[in-house]
Amino acid sequence: MSANNASDLPGVSDRLAYNAMRNWKERLIETVLLAAAAISVLTTLGIVYVLVSESFHFFQNVSIIDFLTDTQWTPLFDDAHFGIMVLISGTLVSSGVALLLAIPMGTIIAIYLSEFANPKVREVAKPILELLGGIPTIVFGYFALLVVTPILQFFLPSLPGFSLLSAGLVMGIMIVPYIASLSEDAMRAVPMSMREGAFAMGSTKLYTAVHVVVPAAISGLAASYILGISRAVGETMILAVAAGMQPNLTWNPMEPAATITSYIVQVALGDLPHGSIGYQTIFAAGLTLLLITLVFNILGQWLRAKYREAY
Amino acid sequence: MKPLTTEQIRAVIAKGKFRDNLFKAIGVFCLAFALLVIVALIADMLLKGAERFTLDFFLNFASRRATQAGILSAWVGSLLVMLVTALAAVPLGVAAGLYLEEYAKRNWITNIIEINVTNLAAVPSIVYGLLALGIFVYMFGFGQSILSAGLTLALLILPIIIVATREAIRAIPAMIREGSMAVGATRWQTCHYHIIPYAMPGILTGVIIGLARAIGETAPIITIGALTFIAFLPPVPFSEIDGGGSAGLFDWVMSPFTVMPIQIFNWTSRPDPAFEVNAAAAGFVLMVMVLSMNAVAIYLRYKMRKNIKW
């Protein structure tokens, strides 16, 4: 109290005035730091605001029923159709291909590194995996289109130049490091005593890994898979480069197709006027994408809460 | 149950060992395959792009003729965008991390911020592009400029820097704070003279990893409408400009631009195979940039783990 009034009082030492200044400065700094932390909340609000407000204009012109059930996506033609299923199918097929590769491979690498490899191999392999995770996706896109597609065409002559298959496979390779690294962390966190218990009962290493360590680490594994799914669904450049950009309602990975993300890129590359319906479609597509990732994340959190085991 | 004979027990053990070894082989194979892909990727770009690694490639603008095209505007653009990103994201991220670790009380505001940071890390990068298109480009009127791109990428890597800062601060033992406060330091003085300097290596690691991520991001920058063909550089401060007069100190932030990943995308999507060579060469340059940044970060982390003992 006295510190606050110190400066008004005559004859009070400068030191109290200095303290008052100091308290005021502390308060100010705390407020500035809080403001910086609040930027993250503002970002979320900004994302929701932009996507919802532009999509709102979009849905004034296009009914939600059409949006969800139409089987054509031709927003820039005169005869415009807005069936988001067309883009969702491309997203799901490419993500499916990627995850079919990435989840088994990532899990095997994680089990190997955590349960079988000697510490030296692990010390070297983990940083290299992290490096692999840092490679820009546009480089993977180049790789998918100009290296992987020709190799696949050698085995599957009917594969077109753009396909969900080659984009999906490269996307899988891109996701492997995330899954391997996170799953390995989760399995290493399982206490040694559990493994020792299993070994004492005569289990082999593999049996211990599969029947003791993996169940104990399952919530961490689920979290890594969910991250992998989010990456796959939101991946853009590999698909924009290697999967072709024409909308195509298909469940066949051998065909080219547009995804939600590659459609946004395609529109952004062109020159659509601000406020036109074509401009609004990318926000409706973005909102759909965000909702899909949100659903997977909520599912992941629910799974984690359900199967979480604490030691 | 009948007890097993010695032979049967040996057979069971042999089967178990065989399965262990089989799995080990599969594990090594998967790991080797993943590593092989990086090697193949780098080797392919290096070999295919080798003929373009001349000084001209770095000093020429984009061109319709593949052999004369270069990456000058792309690498300059990437550097300038990274400058804006770092200037925005580093102070914000460190301040936010510091607040959450050192100041925040356990209340609902803190909870909301923490949940937010976690969830933002899972938002696809192209959604940040849409955010920037709506807010920075049109609402704030920054247009399709270096400023818009830099701020977009800053928001994108903010969670990475916040998390790294928090982890670095959390590793500092409480006695450091207690010692500082015992001699009369305020909270901010403790942060300024102790917490921030000691957390610096960890923060730096996070910043480098974040910037390495940002420099390779393509989708959000395409979304805000970066041009793919730029044959000029942003105005140098105080230089003469065509219309007369001289450029201001910050004119470059509002300039149109292109960046390395967009240049690669542009060259990759052209049908003419001559441009594939350019794409390979530019891709190799980008890979070297990103991988060396990551390697520095990993090295820093390794050093840190070895040196610091409280």
Side-chain angles (χ1 to χ4, degrees):
Chain A
M1 268 307 167
S2 63
N4 284 338
N5 303 327
S7 49
D8 316 332
L9 296 174
V12 173
S13 74
D14 288 344
R15 202 167 143 185
L16 281 179
Y18 171 75
N19 274 351
M21 244 337 256
R22 194 163 108 151
N23 284 347
W24 189 79
K25 195 174 144 198
E26 284 290 312
R27 205 78 59 77
L28 182 74
I29 287 170
E30 186 172 343
T31 316
V32 169
L33 294 180
L34 173 63
I39 294 280
S40 78
V41 181
L42 280 183
T43 309
T44 309
L45 291 179
I47 288 173
V48 172
Y49 168 75
V50 167
L51 292 183
V52 170
S53 67
E54 294 287 348
S55 299
F56 179 73
H57 293 301
F58 174 76
F59 284 119
Q60 282 179 329
N61 295 314
V62 178
S63 83
I64 292 194
I65 312 268
D66 282 351
F67 186 67
L68 293 177
T69 58
D70 202 325
T71 55
Q72 279 180 293
W73 178 263
T74 53
L76 307 179
F77 293 0
D78 286 341
D79 175 30
H81 285 279
F82 302 92
I84 193 73
M85 277 315 292
V86 178
L87 299 182
I88 292 180
S89 77
T91 296
L92 291 184
V93 171
S94 58
S95 302
V97 171
L99 293 168
L100 277 180
L101 178 71
I103 288 185
M105 207 167 142
T107 313
I108 289 173
I109 290 179
I111 295 177
Y112 172 73
L113 284 180
S114 132
E115 306 299 314
F116 289 84
N118 70 38
K120 272 188 188 155
V121 173
R122 186 164 46 220
E123 287 283 297
V124 178
K126 264 210 113 174
I128 296 182
L129 276 179
E130 279 170 35
L131 276 187
L132 184 59
I135 293 176
T137 59
I138 180 70
V139 171
F140 277 116
Y142 161 91
F143 190 63
L145 181 68
L146 299 175
V147 179
V148 174
T149 303
I151 293 176
L152 288 175
Q153 276 171 332
F154 180 75
F155 295 105
L156 304 162
S158 63
L159 194 75
F162 296 106
S163 71
L164 291 170
L165 181 67
S166 74
L169 287 179
V170 172
M171 216 153 84
I173 291 286
M174 181 195 85
I175 297 168
V176 164
Y178 296 104
I179 294 185
S181 185
L182 281 177
S183 301
E184 203 254 359
D185 289 343
M187 286 195 279
R188 297 255 282 159
V190 174
M192 212 54 202
S193 58
M194 295 187 63
R195 292 186 190 95
E196 284 158 0
F199 292 146
M201 304 283 286
S203 302
T204 61
K205 274 191 168 180
L206 183 61
Y207 193 89
T208 309
V210 174
H211 293 267
V212 176
V213 179
V214 167
I218 197 75
S219 73
L221 294 186
S224 78
Y225 298 162
I226 294 295
L227 181 79
I229 295 174
S230 300
R231 288 271 151 180
V233 169
E235 174 46 43
T236 311
M237 294 320 294
I238 297 176
L239 292 153
V241 171
M245 294 207 247
Q246 62 270 51
N248 179 6
L249 182 62
T250 178
W251 304 104
N252 178 4
M254 304 275 285
E255 287 179 23
T259 64
I260 299 177
T261 50
S262 70
Y263 171 73
I264 297 174
V265 164
Q266 188 191 16
V267 170
L269 281 173
D271 220 4
L272 276 180
H274 176 51
S276 67
I277 185 107
Y279 172 84
Q280 286 158 359
T281 53
I282 64 175
F283 290 93
L287 185 62
T288 314
L289 179 69
L290 193 66
L291 288 177
I292 293 176
T293 41
L294 196 66
V295 165
F296 280 120
N297 275 296
I298 290 172
L299 193 73
Q301 267 158 18
W302 178 78
L303 276 177
R304 284 188 70 167
K306 188 160 180 227
Y307 293 106
R308 167 157 242 151
E309 296 189 29
Y311 299 104
Chain B
M1 209 171 87
K2 235 169 64 183
L4 298 175
T5 65
T6 315
E7 273 70 40
Q8 280 172 316
I9 293 173
R10 283 199 181 129
V12 169
I13 292 175
K15 206 166 85 183
K17 282 215 164 138
F18 173 74
R19 284 191 183 156
D20 271 10
N21 286 332
L22 184 68
F23 183 83
K24 220 168 163 178
I26 296 174
V28 171
F29 172 78
C30 285
L31 197 58
F33 184 75
L35 301 185
L36 194 78
V37 170
I38 305 196
V39 174
L41 188 63
I42 295 176
D44 177 79
M45 293 189 139
L46 184 58
L47 294 177
K48 212 185 269 177
E51 56 182 284
R52 288 285 188 282
F53 291 122
T54 59
L55 199 57
D56 279 351
F57 186 65
F58 292 92
L59 296 179
N60 279 359
F61 289 113
S63 161
R64 272 181 293 110
R65 278 182 294 275
T67 48
Q68 289 172 14
I71 54 172
L72 179 63
S73 48
W75 69 257
V76 171
S78 271
L79 284 187
L80 293 177
V81 169
M82 281 310 106
L83 183 65
V84 174
T85 303
L87 285 178
V90 175
L92 278 178
V94 174
L98 197 60
Y99 178 82
L100 289 173
E101 282 303 313
E102 296 291 319
Y103 286 84
K105 298 163 193 76
R106 293 281 116 214
N107 58 18
W108 61 274
I109 301 180
T110 314
N111 270 337
I112 288 183
I113 295 175
E114 285 189 346
I115 293 171
N116 234 293
V117 173
T118 321
N119 284 337
L120 277 181
V123 171
S125 63
I126 196 156
V127 172
Y128 284 91
L130 292 173
L131 165 76
L133 182 63
I135 304 275
F136 296 143
V137 175
Y138 289 113
M139 196 188 274
F140 292 174
F142 294 160
Q144 290 145 354
S145 61
I146 290 177
L147 183 62
S148 294
L151 292 179
T152 313
L153 295 180
L155 291 183
L156 184 72
I157 66 170
L158 207 50
I160 300 176
I161 296 180
I162 294 177
V163 170
T165 304
R166 294 189 65 179
E167 273 171 10
I169 291 177
R170 221 175 294 155
I172 300 171
M175 64 182 184
I176 300 284
R177 300 173 183 87
E178 288 156 5
S180 165
M181 288 186 176
V183 294
T186 62
R187 204 174 271 274
W188 170 246
Q189 284 167 335
T190 306
C191 290
H192 181 195
Y193 294 107
H194 300 283
I195 304 295
I196 297 178
Y198 302 155
M200 214 31 151
I203 295 174
L204 211 57
T205 311
V207 168
I208 296 171
I209 289 178
L211 288 178
R213 163 104 196 267
I215 205 168
E217 270 303 338
T218 323
I221 302 206
I222 290 184
T223 312
I224 64 173
L227 299 177
T228 50
F229 190 92
I230 293 268
F232 56 86
L233 290 180
V236 178
F238 310 124
S239 64
E240 294 281 322
I241 39 180
D242 290 345
S246 64
L249 183 55
F250 292 110
D251 276 7
W252 58 271
V253 299
M254 297 311 267
S255 165
F257 68 103
T258 189
V259 290
M260 292 287 294
I262 290 185
Q263 188 64 69
I264 298 167
F265 175 63
N266 180 259
W267 280 334
T268 308
S269 40
R270 292 200 191 194
D272 180 358
F275 283 102
E276 281 177 25
V277 179
N278 290 17
F284 185 76
V285 174
L286 182 65
M287 286 270 280
V288 169
M289 284 170 155
V290 171
L291 291 185
S292 53
M293 284 167 91
N294 274 311
V296 168
I298 290 172
Y299 173 75
L300 262 178
R301 193 158 51 192
Y302 177 75
K303 274 287 284 228
M304 206 159 62
R305 219 183 284 163
K306 275 197 141 172
N307 284 348
I308 296 186
K309 287 196 189 70
W310 297 104

